[in-house]
Amino acid sequence: MNDESENTMGSPTPEELRQQVERTRDELGQTVEALAGKADVKAQAKEKTAAAKKQAAEKTAELKEQASEKTAAAKEQAAEKATAVKEQAAEKSAELKEQAAEKTAAVKEQAAAATAQIREKAAQAAQTVKDKTPEPVQEKTAQAATQVRESAARAGQFAVDRTPDPLLEKADRIAKAARANRTQLLAGGAVLVAFLLIRRGRGRNK
């Protein structure tokens, strides 16, 4: 009676032990599955994180490459435009210089032609006056011209002696400029003197 009560109250029967083992096995299996699932979720999360990082790095590299290409293209375009502008400016400058040179040459040519005409007309006028002027008048003209030159030389020397150096330098520059047209001035002076002497001679004859 005591053995039965002990089996009933204290020790489990073999059937109960098998059931407990089965339950424990099932619980352990569920626990293992749960742990495996959790481990799998963490692994998947790590894989997703790694994939996201990789995609982000690839996208960043792609954007950097695109930006670098756009920057290089913009620099190339800017360099091409700058070169084109420089070439246009150089061509325009050369064109303007050529036009200025042509205008200067034309002006010089016109001035030379005008100077030649003036010299020719002065020479013709002097020759005409000489041809129409009697020899006595020509002699008087020559004497008067000599006297004028001598008087001018004396007056010039007197002026030089009494003129400050700065004014002398300025007068020297003016004289150099006048020498370029000395022929015209002499011819004109001769014509004027001859004309005055002719008028004086005619007045005396009347």
Side-chain angles (χ1 to χ4, degrees):
M1 186 174 176
N2 290 333
D3 293 338
E4 290 177 1
S5 61
E6 184 178 357
N7 290 334
T8 303
M9 300 298 295
S11 299
T13 62
E15 184 63 27
E16 290 176 348
L17 290 173
R18 284 194 298 272
Q19 291 177 359
Q20 289 179 0
V21 169
E22 291 294 333
R23 284 196 301 270
T24 302
R25 187 183 294 148
D26 292 337
E27 291 175 359
L28 288 174
Q30 292 175 1
T31 301
V32 170
E33 290 178 358
L35 292 174
K38 289 181 179 180
D40 187 50
V41 169
K42 289 182 179 180
Q44 291 178 359
K46 288 182 179 180
E47 291 177 358
K48 289 181 179 180
T49 302
K53 288 181 178 179
K54 184 178 179 181
Q55 290 178 356
E58 292 176 353
K59 191 66 176 178
T60 302
E62 183 179 356
L63 292 175
K64 285 183 179 179
E65 185 177 358
Q66 291 177 356
S68 179
E69 291 176 355
K70 289 182 180 179
T71 302
K75 287 182 178 179
E76 185 177 358
Q77 291 177 356
E80 291 176 355
K81 288 182 180 179
T83 302
V85 170
K86 286 181 180 179
E87 290 178 355
Q88 291 176 357
E91 291 176 358
K92 191 66 177 179
S93 178
E95 183 179 355
L96 292 174
K97 286 182 180 179
E98 184 177 357
Q99 292 177 357
E102 291 177 355
K103 288 182 180 179
T104 302
V107 171
K108 287 182 178 179
E109 185 177 353
Q110 292 175 358
T115 302
Q117 289 179 358
I118 292 171
R119 288 179 180 175
E120 185 178 356
K121 288 182 180 179
Q124 291 176 357
Q127 186 64 38
T128 301
V129 171
K130 184 177 180 181
D131 293 340
K132 292 184 179 182
T133 302
E135 291 183 0
V137 176
Q138 292 182 13
E139 292 178 357
K140 290 181 179 180
T141 302
Q143 293 175 358
T146 302
Q147 291 177 357
V148 169
R149 286 196 295 270
E150 291 177 353
S151 298
R154 288 194 297 272
Q157 186 61 41
F158 180 78
V160 167
D161 294 338
R162 294 180 176 273
T163 302
D165 292 339
L167 293 178
L168 288 176
E169 292 177 358
K170 186 175 181 180
D172 183 62
R173 289 195 297 270
I174 296 173
K176 288 180 180 178
R179 288 193 193 100
N181 297 322
R182 182 173 58 184
T183 303
Q184 294 92 326
L185 293 174
L186 292 175
V191 171
L192 179 60
V193 172
F195 178 73
L196 292 174
L197 290 174
I198 291 170
R199 288 190 63 182
R200 184 182 296 176
R202 288 179 180 177
R204 289 178 179 177
N205 291 333
K206 290 180 180 180

